[in-house]
Amino acid sequence: MPRQQSFLPEENIAGQSVWLVDSHSLIFQVFHAIPEMTSPQGEPVSAVYGFTRDMLFLLEQKQPDVLICAFDSPGPTFRHDRYELYKADRGEMPEELRSQIPKIMAVLQAMRIPVLSQTGYEADDILATLARECHEQGARCFVVTGDKDCRQMITDRVAVYNIRKDYVFDAAALDAEWGIRPDQVVDFQSLVGDAVDNVPGVPGIGPKTARDLLAQFGTLEKVLDNVSQAKGKRVQENLVAFRDQALMSRELVRLDTQMPLGVDWQALRVGSFDSPRLGDLFSQFGFRSLADNAKRLAGTAQTSPDWSANYQIVNTPEALANLVQRLQSVELVSIDTETTSVNPRAAELVGISLAVGPGEAFYLPVRAPAGEIALEEATAIDALRPVLENPAIRKIGQNLKYDVIVLRNVGVNLAGLAFDTMVASYLLDAGERNHNLDYLAQRYLNHSNIKIEELIGKGRNQKRMDEVPLAQIGPYAAEDADVPLRLMPLLEERLRQQNLEELNQDIETPLVEILADMEYEGIRVDSERLNELHVEYGRRLHELEVQIEEIATHSFNIGSPKQLAEVLYGELKLPVLKKTKTGPSTDADVLEQLAPLHPLPRLVVQHRQYTKLLGTYIDALPLLVNPKTGRVHTSFNQVVAATGRLSSSDPNLQNIPIRTDEGREIRSAFTARARGWTLLCADYSQVELRVLAHFSQDPTMCRAFADDTDIHTLVAAQVRGISPDEVTSAMRREAKAVNFGIIYGQSPFGLAKTLGIEKDAAAKFISEYFARYPGVEQFIFDTLAACSRQGGVTTLLGRRRTISGVRAPAKKQTTADGPPPPLQLNLPERTAVNTVIQGTAADLIKLAMLAVHRRLKAEGLSTRMILQIHDELVFDVPDSELESVTELVRTEMEGVVPLRVPLKVDVKVGQNWAEC
């Protein structure tokens, strides 16, 4: 918990910059603003990340002399003694936020930022006391908060700072927004009240009336003593009736500026970080970018130790011939390419780097600035081809998929792929978010790589790589080949220690070549069809805008959360279901809940969906079509999802809605490559549920899959005690939600929300499900117990993910009232169960890709695998091969691994993706 000290005044701080942080205000802001983030161990860390980022920003950008974080203390304060309902409407802190508070404290301790808290008081009282001290001693003070109560601290030396907008809120800003002086803030809030803190104020008096009253009378006392002179009979009546409530409200909102802190400002001055401890924490939480910022700020960024290296530039025919002779005598070479673009299919080759031993690397430029000597591209490629296409010479590198595609652009089929340091790092630490070469060099070799920004710069003046002088690009490029060579033995040893060597050699490394093939091929996109959809979606959006404005009775900016909130809550008086720091929420979840109450929220949801699809796909896809190939070449990411699944980007084809008409419309623009070709889509049927049946060994579930029974209908019938013939589509939908919800640890609340039913009904459904399928619940218990013991989970093929924060489960007992309530899993526990199921499904689809690829190649077929989307593979197939490839794909996919239940593959064909 925060340190508590008794300080003695020692140092005057006149003229210094003091920044005071309302910690809980910032923590709640970032918790609700930042998408869910987990550490490499699977624990929630989004609030830790956001708050730490804020502290680094303040230290670097504002350069305070003093930086202090104030925290609320647990338990009631003196305000609760005065008014029992103070802050009574505030719910409990979410568990996934509560668990992050100790981590934030640990970071602050490592950053040596003072933390203050005192029993019986709120953080605002600490801030107010410190702000008073700053004003009296002549310091310049900034209170970092989103809480409007703190506006009462404003003086000519104290201001409130909004870190989200990087905006200083002073007396002039207060006058512009509320029309009052800082000394009137307490009286203003006493009249208006505060719904967030449950401060009652005076009913019927809003900000405008309060402002006018204070402008007329000056203070709350004078307002209450001169009620008869106030404008408006209702205002007068309420001021009389609620006089005591207004005075009590003032006691609640007035901050204590006289807390016995007696600050030793010298002890609170900004100092140096505990860099080793901070580095350990950032590594534990997976904060790689923040670690770099912290090192730079602390001045502790490590420079490379003695890095013995002999890097040579090869740019003459004689040097090239000597290098080729040297390469033909080695068994392993590390390779890297320098190009003009991060998009490999659009990139032009600038140079090739090759390393043959630690510190022995060469850079072959084929493009260089004017006046510098470079090799002819064709000459260099022809000379290197016998080495690059020789499978007996093993190739290693960092993100080899990129280099494979770049070299194929110039006619080279890189052979002998043996090791990818990025992929190996991912296998070892799947929960990490960073596997780039700079991080790996620093972590394993204690070496700081040359940064690309040092070569090409940033922003508007950024250069292309072929504009960088050879004296600069040569060492940088050679190092990019040298570092993987030095990393390889270290990563190989760790893979052996963790029993991941086979997974790396047999699945992940061979997959690199397959993904490169798929990216190189791409998929044809019909731009004319997209143009039709652009016109159609524009028409639909216009119709929705007309309907929305007719219901609202006026026009407004539908994309503005502020204007939308005013319409929904101010004009239509719809219930406020969730609040944010900026006001009532208008997020998608809230609009879905409001839709049954009024037509406008439903229309806004539709408007947002069409706007997103238009911007993300319909208008974006034509810009991503490669002008040379006429195809879109999405990038398949092998090292992103911690479960082992592949993801795609530029464009992200996995996010196209699957079951909606709009999603099908967009898919209709993805077509077979030419006349005489057909798209074939092969999709694993309910693969995650089949994996669940395999692991749980639940006899009822296994029997259903063995008999090819519809599992959703069966669950609905068994849980309700009816025959399958009596199951309605609504019942099946409920069962389906439960079946898939189990994998993700869905709570009764989540299921109730999904299905639009009562929470008790959802809880009963889940409990009865577990009673019917005890093997599933036992699997969850066993998985969590193993994870608690071992600190992680593994998939069917041994893919491992480290997960912390999993509790050792205790077996529940059935009571006299019926089955026990459903399992309530925290985020790490949900992550553990999901990783085993989804990770195994990822293993299966990867095995399928390898098996199908081998067969296609062995039989000399022209069919091309072009997409992998979740559990689906998409192929471009010549019509002459359609029948044989259909059978080939189904056979290989269904036979990749023998499970306790059969794998089933649905195969469909069509001229475009939608038809499949």
Side-chain angles (χ1 to χ4, degrees):
M1 286 304 296
R3 69 183 188 185
Q4 298 186 19
Q5 302 181 19
S6 176
F7 298 108
L8 297 173
E10 288 184 2
E11 181 193 15
N12 189 282
I13 51 170
Q16 295 190 1
S17 171
V18 178
W19 291 72
L20 309 175
V21 178
D22 182 359
S23 301
H24 279 111
S25 174
L26 264 62
I27 289 170
F28 273 96
Q29 283 179 21
V30 296
F31 176 71
H32 291 295
I34 296 178
E36 184 179 277
M37 291 174 59
T38 56
S39 71
Q41 295 77 37
E43 298 177 292
V45 291
S46 57
V48 187
Y49 176 85
F51 188 78
T52 304
R53 184 181 59 185
D54 284 347
M55 295 305 101
L56 291 171
F57 170 81
L58 291 175
L59 288 167
E60 184 170 18
Q61 299 298 322
K62 305 306 176 183
Q63 299 184 352
D65 297 301
V66 177
L67 176 64
I68 300 171
C69 286
F71 279 78
D72 294 330
S73 63
T77 68
F78 67 88
R79 294 180 178 87
H80 293 90
D81 295 335
R82 181 68 183 87
Y83 184 53
E84 187 177 352
L85 296 179
Y86 179 66
K87 292 190 176 181
D89 291 340
R90 289 199 177 183
E92 289 290 319
M93 181 184 293
E95 179 56 37
E96 290 176 5
L97 175 57
R98 187 187 306 279
S99 66
Q100 298 184 61
I101 300 299
K103 295 180 177 67
I104 290 173
M105 293 298 184
V107 169
L108 290 174
Q109 184 179 30
M111 294 176 76
R112 295 194 171 117
I113 296 176
V115 173
L116 300 181
S117 174
Q118 189 152 313
T119 302
Y121 292 87
E122 296 182 56
D124 289 355
D125 298 310
I126 297 173
L127 298 173
T129 299
L130 296 175
R132 175 190 56 78
E133 282 267 347
C134 289
H135 175 82
E136 291 176 355
Q137 294 197 38
R140 188 76 176 98
C141 177
F142 300 89
V143 182
V144 186
T145 183
D147 193 339
K148 294 179 179 179
D149 289 349
C150 292
R151 294 179 177 185
Q152 63 190 271
M153 304 178 198
I154 294 173
T155 69
D156 58 342
R157 294 175 183 152
V158 178
V160 173
Y161 175 69
N162 185 321
I163 195 170
R164 301 290 153 249
K165 299 179 180 178
D166 192 19
Y167 175 65
V168 173
F169 192 93
D170 54 14
L174 177 66
D175 179 62
E177 183 172 326
W178 281 356
I180 59 173
R181 305 184 305 270
D183 62 287
Q184 294 176 312
V185 168
V186 173
D187 291 348
F188 178 88
Q189 292 182 292
S190 303
L191 290 165
V192 173
D194 186 345
V196 175
D197 289 346
N198 215 36
V199 174
V202 177
I205 293 185
K208 184 178 184 302
T209 303
R211 180 195 65 196
D212 293 343
L213 288 170
L214 291 174
Q216 183 178 359
F217 300 109
T219 66
L220 177 63
E221 285 88 350
K222 290 184 178 178
V223 169
L224 297 176
D225 289 345
N226 296 277
V227 171
S228 61
Q229 298 178 39
K231 297 178 182 178
K233 182 178 180 181
R234 185 164 173 262
V235 169
Q236 294 178 5
E237 291 173 348
N238 285 352
L239 286 172
V240 171
F242 295 98
R243 175 189 178 91
D244 292 343
Q245 186 166 289
L247 294 171
M248 184 267 291
S249 296
R250 183 170 62 175
E251 293 182 42
L252 298 179
V253 299
R254 178 183 285 147
L255 301 178
D256 190 337
T257 63
Q258 303 296 327
M259 288 182 64
L261 294 176
V263 178
D264 176 3
W265 293 104
Q266 178 63 33
L268 300 179
R269 287 180 62 85
V270 170
S272 60
F273 296 163
D274 180 349
S275 295
R277 175 59 178 154
L278 192 60
D280 289 344
L281 289 171
F282 284 175
S283 177
Q284 176 187 334
F285 303 149
F287 297 164
R288 300 304 163 207
S289 61
L290 293 189
D292 292 340
N293 291 346
K295 285 178 182 177
R296 184 181 68 251
L297 185 59
T300 59
Q302 284 189 303
T303 56
S304 301
D306 181 22
W307 185 258
S308 177
N310 177 25
Y311 297 154
Q312 299 178 39
I313 294 175
V314 176
N315 60 349
T316 67
E318 296 77 19
L320 176 61
N322 291 335
L323 174 60
V324 170
Q325 188 175 6
R326 173 82 173 89
L327 292 171
Q328 289 173 337
S329 67
V330 302
E331 296 180 353
L332 182 144
V333 62
S334 179
I335 187 167
D336 184 67
T337 57
E338 301 302 334
T339 67
T340 58
S341 172
V342 295
N343 180 342
R345 204 60 175 88
E348 294 184 330
L349 187 65
V350 173
I352 301 174
S353 306
L354 301 160
V356 296
E360 186 180 2
F362 307 86
Y363 176 61
L364 291 69
V366 298
R367 284 179 173 79
E372 299 209 46
I373 300 173
L375 297 167
E376 289 288 336
E377 182 180 285
T379 300
I381 293 302
D382 288 343
L384 291 174
R385 189 186 308 278
V387 173
L388 298 179
E389 295 189 345
N390 183 355
I393 300 177
R394 299 163 64 222
K395 313 304 188 305
I396 73 165
Q398 167 82 7
N399 190 17
L400 276 171
K401 174 166 66 72
Y402 180 89
D403 304 304
V404 171
I405 298 171
V406 168
L407 290 172
R408 192 167 300 178
N409 290 341
V410 295
V412 173
N413 292 309
L414 190 65
L417 273 59
F419 196 88
D420 190 317
T421 49
M422 181 176 74
V423 172
S425 170
Y426 165 75
L427 279 178
L428 291 165
D429 299 290
E432 293 276 5
R433 282 180 289 275
N434 191 347
H435 304 279
N436 69 37
L437 196 61
D438 289 349
Y439 165 64
L440 297 181
Q442 190 71 67
R443 176 178 180 180
Y444 289 101
L445 303 173
N446 196 30
H447 173 71
S448 292
N449 288 344
I450 301 168
K451 302 296 184 288
I452 191 170
E453 292 83 3
E454 298 174 22
L455 275 68
I456 63 175
K458 291 182 178 180
R460 185 176 299 175
N461 297 321
Q462 182 174 305
K463 301 177 184 176
R464 293 195 317 270
M465 290 299 283
D466 57 343
E467 297 173 328
V468 177
L470 292 183
Q472 292 179 278
I473 194 174
Y476 167 85
E479 183 181 63
D480 278 357
D482 182 21
V483 169
L485 198 70
R486 301 189 195 223
L487 286 169
M488 180 179 169
L490 303 176
L491 296 174
E492 281 186 321
E493 178 58 28
R494 283 197 66 200
L495 288 169
R496 277 192 290 272
Q497 292 172 357
Q498 297 190 26
N499 297 317
L500 292 168
E501 194 174 26
E502 187 175 338
L503 183 63
N504 183 54
Q505 290 178 352
D506 296 346
I507 296 180
E508 294 297 339
T509 300
L511 194 66
V512 170
E513 184 177 353
I514 294 175
L515 295 177
D517 286 348
M518 292 165 61
E519 288 188 28
Y520 184 84
E521 288 293 330
I523 185 169
R524 184 177 178 276
V525 171
D526 185 346
S527 296
E528 291 185 9
R529 173 60 177 154
L530 289 173
N531 188 54
E532 291 173 4
L533 291 175
H534 171 85
V535 174
E536 174 62 20
Y537 276 43
R539 182 188 63 77
R540 294 179 194 176
L541 279 170
H542 177 70
E543 290 178 355
L544 285 168
E545 288 163 5
V546 170
Q547 292 179 59
I548 289 169
E549 290 177 2
E550 284 179 352
I551 293 173
T553 69
H554 64 86
S555 62
F556 67 98
N557 183 356
I558 302 170
S560 166
K562 184 177 180 180
Q563 293 185 34
L564 177 60
E566 177 58 32
V567 172
L568 293 175
Y569 308 115
E571 299 173 13
L572 300 179
K573 307 300 181 185
L574 292 175
V576 176
L577 303 179
K578 185 170 77 173
K579 284 188 175 182
T580 67
K581 282 290 182 180
T582 58
S585 173
T586 60
D587 65 24
D589 188 49
V590 168
L591 294 180
E592 292 284 2
Q593 294 179 64
L594 292 174
L597 306 179
H598 195 279
L600 192 139
R602 177 181 56 80
L603 294 174
V604 172
V605 169
Q606 292 178 15
H607 187 276
R608 287 183 179 178
Q609 290 171 343
Y610 280 117
T611 301
K612 181 178 179 180
L613 292 174
L614 189 65
T616 306
Y617 294 107
I618 294 171
D619 289 346
L621 281 171
L623 303 177
L624 296 174
V625 173
N626 186 304
K628 294 179 181 178
T629 67
R631 300 161 75 82
V632 166
H633 302 266
T634 186
S635 176
F636 291 101
N637 307 311
Q638 197 173 353
V639 300
V640 173
T643 58
R645 296 183 79 170
L646 297 173
S647 62
S648 83
S649 58
D650 303 316
N652 182 352
L653 300 182
Q654 296 186 345
N655 276 3
I656 300 175
I658 296 173
R659 294 176 180 84
T660 66
D661 291 338
E662 292 77 18
R664 282 187 283 274
E665 288 173 337
I666 293 171
R667 279 181 165 78
S668 70
F670 293 85
T671 70
R673 65 194 301 132
R675 188 183 299 275
W677 289 69
T678 299
L679 289 184
L680 182 150
C681 299
D683 188 13
Y684 274 125
S685 173
Q686 300 174 347
V687 65
E688 292 181 4
L689 291 178
R690 292 172 191 268
V691 169
L692 176 62
H694 170 81
F695 279 118
S696 70
Q697 303 182 52
D698 185 89
T700 305
M701 184 173 284
C702 288
R703 191 180 311 114
F705 282 121
D707 296 340
D708 200 19
T709 302
D710 180 68
I711 190 69
H712 305 314
T713 299
L714 180 67
V715 168
Q718 291 183 331
V719 168
R720 293 176 178 275
I722 59 179
S723 72
D725 294 340
E726 297 176 272
V727 173
T728 65
S729 59
M731 293 176 186
R732 186 182 183 277
R733 186 170 67 92
E734 289 180 0
K736 184 176 181 180
V738 172
N739 276 329
F740 285 107
I742 293 300
I743 299 172
Y744 302 101
Q746 191 172 44
S747 67
F749 175 78
L751 179 64
K753 194 170 169 184
T754 299
L755 298 176
I757 61 177
E758 293 297 321
K759 180 182 174 183
D760 289 345
K764 183 173 183 291
F765 199 112
I766 295 175
S767 294
E768 290 177 349
Y769 172 93
F770 282 130
R772 282 282 183 177
Y773 297 88
V776 174
E777 185 173 42
Q778 188 61 50
F779 158 71
I780 295 174
F781 274 103
D782 292 344
T783 299
L784 298 181
C787 186
S788 179
R789 289 193 312 270
Q790 301 166 6
V793 294
T794 56
T795 68
L796 184 67
L797 298 187
R799 189 182 305 278
R800 176 176 171 78
R801 182 177 185 185
T802 302
I803 297 174
S804 300
V806 172
R807 302 162 293 185
K811 185 64 178 176
K812 300 182 298 182
Q813 300 296 321
T814 300
T815 66
D817 297 328
L823 290 165
Q824 297 292 307
L825 305 185
N826 63 26
L827 177 60
E829 289 159 356
R830 296 196 301 272
T831 300
V833 175
N834 174 246
T835 297
V836 175
I837 301 296
Q838 196 177 91
T840 297
D843 290 344
L844 295 179
I845 194 71
K846 287 180 177 179
L847 285 173
M849 295 170 72
L850 292 166
V852 172
H853 182 266
R854 279 193 294 267
R855 281 281 305 277
L856 292 174
K857 196 170 183 180
E859 298 183 17
L861 297 171
S862 299
T863 292
R864 296 287 183 266
M865 189 188 320
I866 55 174
L867 294 180
Q868 190 264 29
I869 307 296
H870 300 306
D871 306 318
E872 175 186 17
L873 298 179
V874 181
F875 302 84
D876 250 332
V877 187
D879 291 347
S880 60
E881 297 177 0
L882 194 56
E883 185 177 349
S884 60
V885 167
T886 298
E887 184 58 32
L888 181 156
V889 169
R890 179 179 282 113
T891 299
E892 294 300 330
M893 290 182 69
E894 291 183 347
V896 286
V897 171
L899 300 180
R900 291 186 176 90
V901 298
L903 288 170
K904 182 180 179 182
V905 175
D906 296 324
V907 179
K908 296 181 180 179
V909 298
Q911 286 304 301
N912 62 60
W913 197 4
E915 292 179 5
C916 297

